[in-house]
Amino acid sequence: MGKTDKINKLAEKGKTDKLAALAKDKDREVRLAAIEGLQKTPETEASLNTLIGMLDDSDVEIRKAVVATLGYSRGSYVETHLRYCLSHEKDESVLEAIQESLAKIKLAGK
């Protein structure tokens, strides 16, 4: 069983701590799969801490995945971090993803 298969099983079981650790793996594909897996538990403390900590990752694709996953969360904590990123992010595709996540959060709050 490969790492991505393992990640899918961990996500199904809600093993947030293990997914959070894999989100810091040196393999980009493993990191992206773990971030996607964290969508299943977007509001747990481990998920939020991991994802918020990755908002300044050097890899644009990682930042976009993190922002998209944060769009499944709720609350002012996430919104505050995403709004901060709006004023500091340089990549247009990440900025677009931030706008989409903020809109998703706003719609879910209604």
Side-chain angles (χ1 to χ4, degrees):
M1 174 173 13
K3 275 191 178 180
T4 53
D5 293 331
K6 181 179 176 183
I7 290 168
N8 290 332
K9 290 202 182 292
L10 291 172
E12 288 171 14
K13 293 179 181 179
K15 302 284 187 181
T16 307
D17 291 338
K18 291 183 180 187
L19 288 170
L22 286 167
K24 298 173 186 169
D25 195 273
K26 60 185 168 197
D27 182 328
R28 180 183 195 219
E29 296 308 312
V30 169
R31 294 174 74 204
L32 288 169
I35 291 165
E36 185 178 327
L38 288 170
Q39 284 181 4
K40 295 187 189 282
T41 57
E43 296 183 15
T44 64
E45 187 176 347
S47 289
L48 288 177
N49 288 340
T50 299
L51 294 167
I52 296 294
M54 296 176 77
L55 284 170
D56 62 354
D57 195 276
S58 61
D59 187 321
V60 170
E61 293 304 313
I62 296 291
R63 291 197 309 273
K64 280 195 321 193
V66 167
V67 166
T69 299
L70 286 171
Y72 290 91
S73 302
R74 305 292 168 257
S76 61
Y77 178 71
V78 172
E79 284 185 70
T80 300
H81 281 282
L82 289 175
R83 290 191 190 288
Y84 175 82
C85 289
L86 273 178
S87 61
H88 292 84
E89 179 59 53
K90 305 277 190 260
D91 187 88
E92 197 62 40
S93 64
V94 178
L95 287 169
E96 214 172 281
I98 293 169
Q99 293 286 7
E100 290 172 12
S101 287
L102 285 169
K104 189 186 290 186
I105 291 167
K106 186 176 182 178
L107 279 174
K110 288 186 176 184

